[in-house]
Amino acid sequence: MPTKQLGPTIRDVARAAGVSIATASRVMNNRAEVAPETSARVRQAMEELGYTASLAARSMRIQATNIIGLVVPELTAPFNLEVVKGVGEAIQESSYDLVIYTKGKLPLRSRPAWEQEHLALLSGGLADGVIVVTPSAPRFEQGAKIVVIDPHGGGTDLPSVVATNRQGAQDAVAHLLGLGHRRIGFIGGREDAQSAADRLEGYRAALAQRGLDVDPSLTQPGDYTRESGYAATVALLALPQPPTAIFATCDAAALGAMDAARALGLRIPHDLSIMGFDNIPEAAMATPPLTTVDQSIQQLGFNATIMLLQMLQDEQPDPALASVPTRIVTRSTCQPIGELAPLEGIRQ
């Protein structure tokens, strides 16, 4: 069967006019903020390419679409899947449908442009409002109704939903200190994410509360992946005085830490205690099950959707929805220091 030839798209128009997709979208939606000469170039490109917006697209520009957009990197990541479940639950009782834009694993340097492009497509008439999950872009255009989950570390003026990351991390480290641990390794998160900075603050605050200094050698960078958790743990366990416990800023990194410890011949928790943050389903299924900080990921998605629905009704979003409390979930990967075997330093 021959493939049906599709007509020119907004991307083709933007390329021909030498503008961004966002600018082309603004021209097609008759936004006033586009310079006249730029608007003329876009309309000329539309005419030369024979671009004609569909009836559905034209109607979407003049009335509500009853669609909410969700921009999420790497849909298969456990955190993102849990967010989607929360969004889906909240949207069930509304009149809105959900459109998800995702793009597998992208290098961090490529994510801001991808997010901006897809937000422009959605806010240019495809959706009434958009939820953006763990953005890499520090800022977004203010023309659309947007709610952000786990915002960029650069801050945002947009309504956002976050867990109590600093308190959760402080509680996690306090739990390990309560078990007698004093050398506690730290595996960081994405350096551009506010949650990672907050969790590092919580780690430092818990140590300071006990009168302990932060040992820089015990803090390792990470990027919220299992691979980074593995690499960080190998580095921590190679120290002359390795930690007796490790706190990872996400469960994926904690699971990577468990992988590394096992590869180096250690038993968990008999030789090393490990604690995560997230409480993704994989944490409970790990061997042994992972002690972690539950940040109610589905609740993050649920609250963000409720806030956006409020905005779509021209209401102010409820500030009480912006913060989701955390709690410790005790399982089997942590035990008191007195029951741990002494480590002399493990090297590759």
Side-chain angles (χ1 to χ4, degrees):
M1 180 181 295
T3 302
K4 182 179 179 180
Q5 183 64 42
L6 300 176
T9 67
I10 187 173
R11 287 183 175 83
D12 299 324
V13 172
R15 190 181 302 113
V19 300
S20 68
I21 290 177
T23 298
S25 174
R26 286 196 292 270
V27 173
M28 293 174 185
N29 286 282
N30 298 313
R31 300 275 182 85
E33 63 265 30
V34 182
E37 58 271 21
T38 303
S39 180
R41 286 208 318 274
V42 173
R43 297 193 182 283
Q44 182 179 351
M46 292 170 63
E47 184 176 347
E48 291 176 352
L49 292 172
Y51 177 88
T52 304
S54 68
L55 178 61
R58 286 199 301 272
S59 67
M60 283 192 287
R61 290 199 296 271
I62 62 174
Q63 63 183 7
T65 66
N66 275 10
I67 289 175
I68 285 176
L70 180 66
V71 177
V72 54
E74 197 182 349
L75 185 59
T76 56
F79 176 91
N80 297 333
L81 280 174
E82 293 303 298
V83 167
V84 172
K85 291 176 185 177
V87 173
E89 182 182 351
I91 214 171
Q92 278 182 353
E93 302 303 320
S94 75
S95 61
Y96 287 84
D97 291 320
L98 180 66
V99 172
I100 301 175
Y101 274 50
T102 187
K103 184 65 177 180
K105 284 191 176 181
L106 276 175
L108 281 178
R109 65 180 180 276
S110 303
R111 284 188 185 176
W114 175 83
E115 288 167 353
Q116 297 281 16
E117 175 182 336
H118 286 79
L119 186 62
L121 287 171
L122 287 166
S123 61
L126 293 178
D128 296 334
V130 185
I131 299 168
V132 186
V133 183
T134 58
S136 294
R139 292 285 187 274
F140 293 109
E141 287 189 35
Q142 297 291 325
K145 292 182 177 178
I146 303 169
V147 175
V148 174
I149 296 175
D150 191 10
H152 187 280
T156 178
D157 297 329
L158 297 169
S160 302
V161 180
V162 295
T164 52
N165 290 297
R166 186 185 187 279
Q167 187 62 54
Q170 188 170 343
D171 291 343
V173 178
H175 177 76
L176 293 171
L177 289 166
L179 294 175
H181 298 279
R182 294 298 179 266
R183 289 189 62 76
I184 300 172
F186 176 86
I187 301 175
R190 252 178 53 188
E191 63 180 14
D192 63 332
Q194 185 60 48
S195 57
D198 291 344
R199 293 171 197 178
L200 177 57
E201 283 187 17
Y203 168 78
R204 290 170 171 165
L207 294 176
Q209 200 169 44
R210 288 294 187 97
L212 300 173
D213 294 328
V214 175
D215 182 346
S217 71
L218 290 176
T219 62
Q220 287 289 321
D223 60 7
Y224 286 160
T225 64
R226 193 163 184 153
E227 293 79 10
S228 71
Y230 188 103
T233 301
V234 169
L236 287 168
L237 294 178
L239 293 171
Q241 288 184 289
T244 61
I246 292 175
F247 168 56
T249 52
C250 74
D251 285 348
L255 294 173
M258 293 173 67
D259 293 339
R262 278 192 292 263
L264 292 168
L266 300 184
R267 300 167 301 159
I268 303 164
H270 307 291
D271 302 319
L272 180 69
S273 289
I274 295 177
M275 189 162 193
F277 197 116
D278 281 340
N279 198 25
I280 59 176
E282 287 81 350
M285 296 184 289
T287 304
L290 178 66
T291 295
T292 187
V293 178
D294 182 4
Q295 65 165 327
S296 303
I297 305 173
Q298 289 189 31
Q299 194 68 45
L300 294 174
F302 185 92
N303 285 13
T305 308
I306 297 301
M307 289 176 72
L308 185 58
L309 291 172
Q310 291 172 341
M311 293 164 64
L312 293 175
Q313 297 299 316
D314 293 322
E315 300 173 4
Q316 288 296 317
D318 185 350
L321 298 172
S323 180
V324 175
T326 55
R327 65 183 180 92
I328 300 291
V329 178
T330 303
R331 296 195 180 107
S332 306
T333 55
C334 299
Q335 72 177 32
I337 184 68
E339 301 176 24
L340 294 177
L343 298 180
E344 299 297 333
I346 299 171
R347 302 182 185 276
Q348 288 181 303

